[in-house]
Amino acid sequence: MNRDGLIAIAHRAMDNAYAPYSGFRVGAALRFADGTVVSASNVENASYGLSLCAESVALAKAMDDGHRGGLEAVAVHGSGDAPSPPCGRCRQMLAEMAQLGGTDPLVWCAGEGGDVIEARLSELLPHAFGRANLE
Ligand code: THU
């Protein structure tokens, strides 16, 4: 699964977004070393602050599927024109999976305008807090 393929899956995942409050739909797709792709969308709540980002939902799905590391690439697609980068909380969530497998995933951020931002997770979240800090 290449860059455009993973972005296309994230784009498709937006269709399932439950975002009646913000109206901003997000899809995320995670690619693992075994070839598996796990995708999800954002899930909002009438108690706004409880809303879940697409990346966090995808992370939880992947964990529940048994993934523990091997995260190679992430695509995020928002319904706005500009590329949609993962929020701070989602960067931390992604870092947990990355650290489990010692990978530094590529993150592709896309929007309806067609521009794509590409960065390593370590660039988006340098000096990430992790399990090692708890020792
Ligand atoms: N959102 C995501 O799904 N991922 C992010 O990284 C940033 C924001 C969602 C949360 C909320 O449902 C909507 O976008 C507007 O903030």
Side-chain angles (χ1 to χ4, degrees):
M1 179 65 56
N2 60 15
R3 185 193 90 150
D4 290 346
L6 202 64
I7 289 173
I9 290 175
H11 193 210
R12 216 173 306 135
M14 282 169 44
D15 291 346
N16 292 329
Y18 176 68
Y21 305 108
S22 74
F24 188 73
R25 290 171 293 111
V26 182
L30 314 180
R31 189 190 76 210
F32 291 88
D34 64 1
T36 314
V37 174
V38 178
S39 65
S41 58
N42 52 331
V43 180
E44 297 188 344
N45 191 277
S47 179
Y48 299 164
L50 301 183
S51 298
L52 301 173
C53 290
E55 302 92 314
S56 295
V57 177
L59 245 301
K61 281 178 75 174
M63 281 283 183
D64 189 52
D65 284 349
H67 288 284
R68 297 290 187 272
L71 182 60
E72 288 184 339
V74 176
V76 184
H77 201 302
S79 57
D81 270 351
S84 193
C87 76
R89 183 176 186 274
C90 289
R91 293 175 196 202
Q92 180 67 29
M93 296 282 291
L94 293 167
E96 182 80 17
M97 184 70 89
Q99 288 174 5
L100 278 175
T103 60
D104 186 11
L106 272 171
V107 181
W108 293 303
C109 314
E112 296 296 352
D115 291 345
V116 175
I117 294 172
E118 174 180 305
R120 291 275 172 193
L121 183 60
S122 62
E123 296 176 75
L124 298 177
L125 187 66
H127 306 292
F129 183 83
R131 292 155 62 100
N133 300 106
L134 298 173
E135 286 163 10

